[in-house]
């Protein structure tokens, strides 16, 4: 039996999802991917990193960033025809191909980017969603980004809207809904390290590691 497995983490902004994912990947001895996927997608497609950054976890808008008429002036080695327009859907496909390739090669942990949907046919996967109380999310964002509470609240509002629209658009499921995942965890209940340990135990029992 193939021993490779994947853990896919969806998360609310400010819930500590990335930190939990990094620590969990280290505990499980597997590779961690979050923003790293942008670099890999850029390298493998020959497309400018900026395209992927602008489209990152955003639902399709037709032309990326709403800039109609944007072509491919920044593509290396003519990787794509200069007459094509670059849509978020096209970038999603490139990134999806990278995620599928990595999952086929080794055990990995992916944060966001619809990885749970992209890898829905993977025989050994665990899909987790991490939430947190609004108070804890605001406190964490204020600390990490040195912003005011009102700014943190606005960041949360925009991120929740963006991530839910992106996930729901591409997966046809509901972002953050319990039925969408194998496990939903409130990181405020156990703290970051406690949540890491809890998810680790769940992953090991589900996959019989």
């Amino acid at each position: 039996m193939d021993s490779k497995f994947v853990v896919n983490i969806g998360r609310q902004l400010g819930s500590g999802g990335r930190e939990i994912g990094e620590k969990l990947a280290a505990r499980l001895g597997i590779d961690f991917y979050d923003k790293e996927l942008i670099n890999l997608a850029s390298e493998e497609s020959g497309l400018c990193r900026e395209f992927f950054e602008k489209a990152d976890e955003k639902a399709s808008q037709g032309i990326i960033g709403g800039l109609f008429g944007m072509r491919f002036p920044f593509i290396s080695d003519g990787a794509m025809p200069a007459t094509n327009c670059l849509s978020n859907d096209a970038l999603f496909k490139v990134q999806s191909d990278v995620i599928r390739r990595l999952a086929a090669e080794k055990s990995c942990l992916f944060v966001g980017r619809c990885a749970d949907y992209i890898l829905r046919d993977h025989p050994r996967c665990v899909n987790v969603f991490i939430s947190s109380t609004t108070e804890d999310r605001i406190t964490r964002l204020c600390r990490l980004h040195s912003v005011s509470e009102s700014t943190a609240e606005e960041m949360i509002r925009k991120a929740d809207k963006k991530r839910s629209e992106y996930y729901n658009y591409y997966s046809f499921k509901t972002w953050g809904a319990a039925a969408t995942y194998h496990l939903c965890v409130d990181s405020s209940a156990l703290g970051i390290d406690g949540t890491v340990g809890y998810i680790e135990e769940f992953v090991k029992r589900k996959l019989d590691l």
Side-chain angles (χ1 to χ4, degrees), residues 40-162:
L40 289 169
S42 173
E43 291 170 6
E44 295 196 9
S45 65
L47 297 174
C48 179
R49 175 189 167 92
E50 180 187 12
F51 287 135
F52 291 95
E53 289 177 336
K54 286 184 177 179
D56 191 32
E57 294 196 298
K58 292 189 180 78
S60 179
Q61 300 169 337
I63 308 305
I64 185 165
L67 300 177
F68 287 88
M70 179 177 279
R71 305 295 176 175
F72 282 132
F74 308 115
I75 292 182
S76 60
D77 303 322
M80 287 197 178
T83 55
N84 283 356
C85 287
L86 193 60
S87 70
N88 288 19
D89 288 351
L91 295 176
F92 179 80
K93 183 183 185 307
V94 171
Q95 196 162 255
S96 297
D97 289 343
V98 172
I99 289 171
R100 278 190 285 265
R101 177 183 64 77
L102 291 169
E105 291 175 354
K106 56 190 174 182
S107 295
C108 322
L109 185 148
F110 297 102
V111 174
R113 292 162 189 85
C114 281
D116 56 334
Y117 175 73
I118 292 163
L119 299 174
R120 61 194 178 279
D121 295 325
H122 195 289
R124 286 166 58 77
C125 71
V126 179
N127 302 323
V128 180
F129 188 83
I130 299 170
S131 63
S132 184
T133 64
T134 300
E135 294 74 20
D136 281 359
R137 295 172 72 187
I138 290 172
T139 298
R140 183 172 285 111
L141 291 175
C142 288
R143 185 182 74 247
L144 291 176
H145 302 288
S146 300
V147 297
S148 66
E149 288 190 4
S150 60
T151 299
E153 288 176 359
E154 183 65 8
M155 289 170 66
I156 286 170
R157 185 188 67 78
K158 288 182 177 179
D160 284 356
K161 183 175 186 293
K162 184 184 80 165

